């Protein structure tokens, strides 16, 4: 099972909203929420973690670009893909300046929108602003922090952050020790699997309620797997 991304679809056209929801729901990598206006969208991104927003420009209560500007002002950092019937350069510039990451002009092919969504999710996950859900924790790689459901913070080292991030990106797929060594340490003949095992041990002490019986960061198939 791969990592599931939470997508918010914002459009006052219920037919389009339902059609996009149906099509995206065919892919296990997505979980869908919808909103019919800007107020619902602004409230939704404040209420729970949203990985990407697909936002229509022509909303009944507010211009979609103004809604994006408000969301950014409130601290929302995930990607936003705007949908618009207006194709002029001026409209695109206004959307990007408001804080959108991309513009898709109606009518559009679903395959094009899907490709844009996946591309922006990949870019975001590689950025310093990315935030991930790892078990009961919110993982902030940029600041090397794990935040529990109660708000307590656990500081990670650079290597622990890199290990956790790489395993998260792999979904539930086990990663061999040699692959993890190469990805985290690069080519270094002085680094052995013992070094990796030491870091895994210390990471488990920080994130597992019972480190001796790991449930979140498990040993599997000659390597390690994360249960995100």
């Amino acid at each position: 099972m791969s990592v599931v991304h939470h997508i918010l679809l914002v459009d006052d056209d219920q037919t389009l909203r339902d059609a996009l929801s149906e099509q995206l729901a065919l892919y296990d990598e997505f979980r869908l929420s919808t909103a019919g206006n800007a107020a619902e969208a602004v409230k939704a991104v404040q209420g729970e973690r949203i990985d990407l927003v697909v936002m229509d420009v022509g909303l009944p209560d507010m211009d979609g670009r103004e809604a994006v500007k408000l969301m950014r002002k409130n601290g929302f950092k995930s990607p936003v893909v705007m949908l618009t019937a207006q194709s002029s350069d001026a409209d695109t510039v206004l959307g990007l300046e408001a804080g959108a990451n991309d513009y898709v002009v109606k009518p559009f092919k679903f395959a094009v929108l899907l490709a844009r969504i996946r591309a922006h999710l990949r870019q975001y996950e590689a950025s310093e602003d990315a935030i991930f859900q790892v078990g009961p924790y919110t993982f902030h790689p940029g600041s090397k922090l794990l935040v529990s459901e109660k708000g307590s913070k656990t500081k990670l080292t650079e290597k622990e952050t890199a290990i956790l991030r790489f395993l998260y990106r792999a979904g539930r797929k086990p990663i061999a020790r040699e692959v993890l060594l190469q990805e985290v340490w690069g080519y270094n003949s002085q680094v052995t699997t013992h070094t990796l095992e030491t870091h895994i041990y210390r990471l488990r002490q920080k994130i597992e309620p019972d480190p001796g019986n790991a449930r979140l960061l498990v040993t599997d198939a000659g390597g390690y797997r994360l249960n995100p």
Side-chain angles (χ1 to χ4, degrees):
M1 180 179 175
S2 62
V3 173
V4 177
H5 297 102
H6 190 179
I7 308 294
L8 174 65
L9 298 175
V10 188
D11 200 302
D12 62 329
D13 182 341
Q14 187 169 346
T15 301
L16 176 60
R17 208 166 62 230
D18 290 348
L20 286 178
S21 294
E22 270 184 40
Q23 289 174 298
L24 287 168
L26 295 173
Y27 299 87
D28 292 339
E29 68 200 88
F30 301 125
R31 178 165 74 89
L32 281 304
S33 293
T34 63
N37 58 52
E40 290 176 7
V42 171
K43 185 177 179 180
V45 299
Q46 291 177 316
E48 57 181 319
R49 187 172 65 85
I50 302 291
D51 296 305
L52 182 141
V53 175
V54 177
M55 170 83 76
D56 187 33
V57 169
L59 297 173
D61 56 340
M62 184 188 298
D63 187 296
R65 292 165 294 207
E66 291 302 314
V68 172
K69 193 180 295 184
L70 182 57
M71 288 158 59
R72 295 303 191 205
K73 185 179 178 181
N74 292 341
F76 183 69
K77 296 183 181 298
S78 297
V80 177
V81 177
M82 302 294 296
L83 301 181
T84 180
Q86 302 165 334
S87 59
S88 74
D89 290 343
D91 288 308
T92 302
V93 169
L94 284 173
L96 296 176
E97 287 183 345
N101 299 83
D102 204 350
Y103 241 69
V104 175
V105 178
K106 297 177 180 178
F108 55 85
K109 291 184 178 179
F110 174 73
V112 171
L113 178 63
L114 178 62
R116 299 278 184 91
I117 288 172
R118 285 172 169 165
H120 285 292
L121 286 170
R122 286 195 301 270
Q123 289 172 14
Y124 177 69
E125 288 182 355
S127 75
E128 290 301 303
D129 290 330
I131 298 173
F132 309 112
Q133 193 67 37
V134 177
Y137 303 100
T138 305
F139 176 35
H140 302 251
S143 51
K144 302 180 180 68
L145 280 178
L146 280 175
V147 182
S148 73
E149 293 170 318
K150 294 182 178 179
S152 61
K153 297 178 179 179
T154 301
K155 189 69 176 175
L156 302 176
T157 67
E158 182 179 344
K159 296 303 184 189
E160 289 167 351
T161 301
I163 290 168
L164 208 54
R165 188 170 193 157
F166 190 79
L167 290 176
Y168 178 89
R169 285 175 164 176
R172 297 178 185 269
K173 176 185 174 184
I175 301 297
R177 289 178 176 85
E178 294 75 17
V179 173
L180 207 46
L181 270 175
Q182 177 66 37
E183 290 294 332
V184 175
W185 277 270
Y187 179 74
N188 188 336
S189 59
Q190 304 303 314
V191 177
T192 66
T193 54
H194 176 70
T195 302
L196 172 61
E197 287 160 3
T198 299
H199 280 77
I200 293 290
Y201 171 81
R202 291 174 181 164
L203 190 51
R204 281 174 172 160
Q205 298 299 310
K206 295 181 178 182
I207 68 174
E208 296 281 1
D210 179 7
N213 184 29
R215 298 295 178 86
L216 188 57
L217 176 50
V218 300
T219 303
D220 188 7
Y224 302 100
R225 174 172 55 83
L226 193 64
N227 288 324

